[in-house]
Amino acid sequence: MSELFDAVDALVASRSPLPSAEERKRLRVAHGLTLDDVAGALKVRRATVSAWESTKKPTEPRGPEREAYARLLKQLAEFYPAPVPATFTGAPAPAEAETLFTGPAPDAAVMTATENTQTPVAAAPAAAPRPAITTRSTSTSRRPGARKAAPAGPPAGGTDPRFENGPLAVVDVEDGQVLAYCTGGLVLDVPAKSLPSLVDWTLKEAKLGAPKLSGPGKDADPLLVLTEAALERYGLPVALTDEERLAGRIPEGHKVIKQLVRTEWKLTKRGFGPWARIYRPATGSERACVQLCIPSWNALDTRHWGEAGQLPPAELARVLGVYASRVMTPRGSTAVTGLELMTALHPPTRASEPDADGKRHSEHNPGSLGKAPVDCAPCEAPDGHPLLKDLPRFHVRGPAEKLFEEAYDWARPMTDAECTLRHLVGIDVNMAFAAGANGLVVGLGAPTHVKAPVFDAKLPGSWLVDLSHVDLSRVKVGKDKWADLDASLLPSPFTPKGERPEGPAWYATPTVAYAVELGYDVAPLEAYVRYESGRYLDGWYNRLRDAYLATMADLGVDADLAPADFLAAMDGYRGRDPELAIVVSAVKATVKGGLGKLRERPRGEGWRLGEPWRALSRPTWRPDIRAAVISRTRINLHRKIVKHAAFTGQYPIAVLSDCVVYAANGTSPLDFLPYKDGKPLPGGFKLGINPGLVKHEGTQDVLWGEEVRERFNAPELNLARYIKDGTVTDVDNGE
């Protein structure tokens, strides 16, 4: 009987209608199959399968091949059903329109924003074994009768028809056809035969880009990510030579650059490198600029983007698309993007009110850093700065000459009581430096030098003050409430190494304010203060916080979980969706890198001691803002350490940046963090995913810690550096 049923199935399949050629190709590409894959499975030639998918004059399979092909397409259609196209006002009649389809994966939609308004975070596209995608012909999209594709997911804060295909595309070549993989599973056919024509196509037909993040700002330029196959197609090297890698660009005489010059396209001063920008001078408000990202030239640093550069095009488009919709379209490294995000949220200028003739003019945008750079104070200048050119060549500035606000790197030997415990447990502050930026008042203008000032905690600046009298053995932990502590087991809050200061030193405002909070008087000798100030980083913090929380929620870690549930959710969260885990890493790197760029040092370029370097020409070169954020982050951590010690009698073994290690009898943070009825110690450490709360960093045995310190003869080796997995590297005299 089964043989009869098989014969009936074959008879039906041999006569059943097959989907259109476009749908056949969509289903194949959606499952990640090549023409060779299908041809090998059906035992036909590659050209035969290509002919079945030809949009010009498709052929029809016959005999047993048709039966097997129909079975393949039927199964793929179950995995990747084509949704019903959306109806648009003013669309032509169905008989005249050619329907375009998109796959089911939701889109990381672009967001719109108005000045002083934060937009909701876009939903991340759901992960699938193979992303569903659709090939969309640009020649079709140009025809007046063509309908627009239905969006692949709900818009986040609205959509802009100028950028309906998303912020970016990954350009690849498959079977001789150039394809642009966009967010949401959409794939565009690319007709461009050269790089200049690819730029033209992107600006005129691709509908790529993103709306501005602030009212006075600018729309994001479209981003094209070129795979190795695309590089070969457009005459570019797949990898840079050692000389090119050192220069950060290909030579100006390269044939592709000559093509761009002949077609009147320009490159920025950094040339044609991993993050190239190709543009023509703007005419009025119209911009003509396309950015390229080239992963094989190390555009996507593995320290921050993991293996993103090795992902297939559709998956890479998803990763970068989620990042672009939640943070912004990448403008370079995560550090560059972090800095650009500050400017995008607070553009330096805005349009003025109409004058007597009804014309608007460019004027300073209040709350921004402006268009012109400002000099830092001498104490804020890093070594080699032009302000210090008159110092003796080998002069080493001490604390009384140089502002040195950096993250913690402190450790101490374990006490006898701590050695009797079984484990060392590390906790890590989520997005610590972002939390340090939240609500922080920073200077917006140039500094003013003041002699013998009265300290004002609301006034951002750098203060020369002696804090050596602050005694951590007795500190104020609340209103009219003091605590007695063992100061030998605590790091000083005033120095990165945790050493007690010995005399006057330069500090940022948050550090001096903490000395007052601990109950001690301060008397600054002098200061460089900034009377023009504001909460410049609030929007930046909110944007990155929302991106981080939304992506962690997609990975199953919500902000309202109970402590035990939170620890369980964090266990192995990266494995639930490795692509979104890459986005999390990139968001965190954007925070640290963006703050680091505020005090960018010379990067070659033939720089000499005492001469200005390129970064100094930016209004966003602001070492004082970086110092204030780091100061506040370190103080926030020390405040929690003190509250924890005052309440529990437990002291940290080591502190590294945003990681703190305690000795405990159990392996979990819950074995030493005080919780009562599910509520944490007020002002102390709290488990959770929000910035400023803590997560479990890692657990090792106490014997491991003692053995490592003994092996390297380093009783104060910072175990926080190795607590995550126990692997010890880069030990140099205990540091």
Side-chain angles (χ1 to χ4, degrees):
M1 184 63 70
S2 62
E3 294 179 357
L4 292 176
F5 287 165
D6 291 341
V8 170
D9 290 342
L11 185 62
V12 172
S14 66
R15 297 293 186 271
S16 61
L18 296 175
S20 66
E22 292 88 345
E23 179 67 3
R24 298 172 195 176
K25 185 174 182 179
R26 184 188 77 83
L27 292 171
R28 174 179 63 78
V29 175
H31 204 61
L33 301 176
T34 65
L35 293 173
D36 289 326
D37 292 335
V38 177
L42 301 181
K43 301 190 183 307
V44 297
R45 293 186 302 118
R46 181 179 182 276
T48 301
V49 180
S50 180
W52 294 345
E53 295 181 356
S54 173
T55 56
K56 295 181 179 179
K57 192 175 181 181
T59 60
E60 294 296 313
R62 298 180 180 179
E65 291 83 7
R66 182 186 180 93
E67 174 188 350
Y69 192 45
R71 184 182 182 87
L72 170 66
L73 296 175
K74 181 180 179 181
Q75 292 183 15
L76 292 179
E78 293 176 356
F79 288 125
Y80 312 106
V84 178
T87 302
F88 289 81
T89 304
E96 300 174 352
E98 181 175 342
T99 304
L100 302 173
F101 295 94
T102 58
D107 182 19
V110 296
M111 298 183 289
T112 58
T114 57
E115 188 175 8
N116 300 324
T117 301
Q118 293 296 319
T119 58
V121 176
R130 294 286 183 179
I133 51 182
T134 295
T135 300
R136 177 175 177 178
S137 171
T138 55
S139 60
T140 298
S141 66
R142 288 195 299 266
R143 286 202 291 269
R147 289 189 183 182
K148 297 180 180 179
T159 58
D160 190 321
R162 298 173 300 160
F163 314 124
E164 66 177 33
N165 292 333
L168 55 89
V170 180
V171 181
D172 191 30
V173 180
E174 181 181 333
D175 304 329
Q177 174 63 52
V178 182
L179 302 175
Y181 290 76
C182 306
T183 57
L186 179 68
V187 179
L188 306 177
D189 285 324
V190 181
K193 304 299 183 184
S194 66
L195 190 63
S197 61
L198 176 64
V199 175
D200 276 322
W201 170 83
T202 303
L203 293 171
K204 295 176 181 177
E205 302 178 39
K207 295 187 176 181
L208 295 173
K212 57 190 177 183
L213 297 179
S214 174
K218 299 176 182 178
D219 296 328
D221 297 320
L223 173 65
L224 297 181
V225 185
L226 303 184
T227 65
E228 294 184 9
L231 292 173
E232 292 179 342
R233 179 62 172 264
Y234 291 117
L236 291 164
V238 171
L240 298 178
T241 65
D242 291 341
E243 183 178 352
E244 292 168 344
R245 190 179 302 109
L246 185 63
R249 66 189 74 184
I250 59 176
E252 293 185 6
H254 193 280
K255 62 179 182 179
V256 172
I257 296 182
K258 291 181 178 179
Q259 291 175 359
L260 293 170
V261 172
R262 284 197 300 268
T263 50
E264 299 182 347
W265 288 106
K266 298 179 180 294
L267 292 166
T268 56
K269 290 183 180 180
R270 61 183 174 183
F272 203 124
W275 290 94
R277 297 188 70 79
I278 304 173
Y279 73 98
R280 285 186 179 131
T283 55
S285 61
E286 294 295 324
R287 289 169 57 84
C289 182
V290 173
Q291 179 160 307
L292 303 182
C293 167
I294 306 177
S296 65
W297 294 5
N298 198 33
L300 301 175
D301 193 324
T302 54
R303 293 173 300 174
H304 310 138
W305 290 101
E307 300 302 318
Q310 307 300 320
L311 291 174
E315 284 87 340
L316 179 55
R318 177 181 181 239
V319 169
L320 294 177
V322 173
Y323 179 90
S325 65
R326 293 180 173 177
V327 179
M328 69 180 297
T329 304
R331 295 288 304 272
S333 66
T334 50
V336 170
T337 304
L339 194 69
E340 291 289 340
L341 180 61
M342 296 179 195
T343 304
L345 293 168
H346 283 286
T349 61
R350 68 178 183 182
S352 68
E353 293 296 324
D355 60 16
D357 298 326
K359 294 182 179 180
R360 296 179 183 269
H361 306 276
S362 177
E363 66 177 13
H364 173 70
N365 184 27
S368 74
L369 298 181
K371 293 186 67 175
V374 297
D375 285 335
C376 62
C379 63
E380 297 163 352
D383 294 338
H385 192 279
L387 287 175
L388 311 175
K389 63 182 180 181
D390 294 331
L391 288 178
R393 184 174 181 182
F394 297 106
H395 178 74
V396 178
R397 293 187 294 162
E401 298 173 279
K402 179 180 179 180
L403 176 69
F404 194 65
E405 295 284 10
E406 298 295 340
Y408 265 131
D409 186 355
W410 170 87
R412 62 170 176 82
M414 284 185 275
T415 64
D416 292 341
E418 288 166 341
C419 288
T420 64
L421 302 177
R422 299 180 58 188
H423 302 286
L424 298 175
V425 184
I427 52 177
D428 179 79
V429 182
N430 297 312
M431 300 272 282
F433 294 98
N438 182 30
L440 178 65
V441 177
V442 300
L444 301 179
T448 300
H449 188 217
V450 183
K451 286 285 189 178
V454 176
F455 176 70
D456 184 352
K458 297 181 180 179
L459 192 59
S462 300
W463 308 78
L464 180 62
V465 57
D466 188 352
L467 300 180
S468 60
H469 64 290
V470 177
D471 185 3
L472 293 182
S473 62
R474 183 166 177 76
V475 297
K476 196 173 184 180
V477 293
K479 186 177 181 180
D480 300 326
K481 185 177 181 181
W482 292 74
D484 294 321
L485 304 173
D486 187 342
S488 66
L489 302 179
L490 285 171
S492 167
F494 308 126
T495 61
K497 290 293 184 180
E499 301 164 346
R500 186 168 179 169
E502 297 178 351
W506 286 99
Y507 303 101
T509 297
T511 302
V512 185
Y514 186 56
V516 176
E517 179 184 325
L518 292 176
Y520 293 86
D521 295 328
V522 297
L525 304 176
E526 59 179 303
Y528 288 91
V529 297
R530 289 169 170 83
Y531 294 107
E532 182 187 357
S533 61
R535 293 168 58 161
Y536 174 72
L537 295 173
D538 274 10
W540 183 80
Y541 161 78
N542 290 332
R543 182 81 175 174
L544 291 165
R545 174 204 61 195
D546 292 348
Y548 176 69
L549 293 180
T551 311
M552 290 301 296
D554 289 337
L555 289 166
V557 186
D558 294 316
D560 56 354
L561 292 173
D565 295 334
F566 167 71
L567 293 174
M570 286 294 295
D571 188 19
Y573 76 92
R574 290 182 173 276
R576 294 174 199 141
D577 191 330
E579 293 169 16
L580 288 184
I582 293 174
V583 177
V584 171
S585 297
V587 170
K588 293 193 290 187
T590 303
V591 173
K592 292 185 177 181
L595 294 172
K597 278 283 186 180
L598 292 170
R599 199 192 68 157
E600 184 177 359
R601 302 302 304 278
R603 303 177 63 186
E605 306 166 359
W607 174 78
R608 293 182 179 180
L609 198 69
E611 294 182 350
W613 56 92
R614 183 184 301 177
L616 299 186
S617 63
R618 296 193 319 248
T620 49
W621 193 84
R622 294 294 302 271
D624 57 299
I625 295 180
R626 172 188 177 273
V629 173
I630 294 177
S631 164
R632 192 164 186 245
T633 302
R634 193 182 66 247
I635 294 307
N636 285 346
L637 184 59
H638 194 274
R639 184 182 291 112
K640 290 179 171 61
I641 290 172
V642 167
K643 289 287 180 69
H644 185 85
F647 187 81
T648 67
Q650 298 170 334
Y651 295 84
I653 302 296
V655 184
L656 181 68
S657 187
D658 48 10
C659 177
V660 187
V661 175
Y662 284 92
N665 268 325
T667 60
S668 167
L670 288 175
D671 291 314
F672 68 91
L673 292 183
Y675 271 84
K676 183 178 181 181
D677 299 328
K679 296 182 179 180
L681 170 68
F685 295 109
K686 178 182 178 181
L687 289 166
I689 199 59
N690 277 294
L693 306 189
V694 299
K695 62 180 180 293
H696 184 202
E697 178 69 3
T699 297
Q700 303 296 330
D701 294 338
V702 165
L703 291 178
W704 163 85
E706 288 295 272
E707 187 274 331
V708 167
R709 285 177 164 178
E710 183 178 348
R711 188 199 326 164
F712 293 102
N713 192 27
E716 296 183 3
L717 178 70
N718 196 327
L719 299 175
R721 182 175 280 111
Y722 317 109
I723 194 71
K724 189 166 188 175
D725 59 10
T727 302
V728 181
T729 58
D730 302 328
V731 174
D732 183 12
N733 296 326
E735 296 185 5

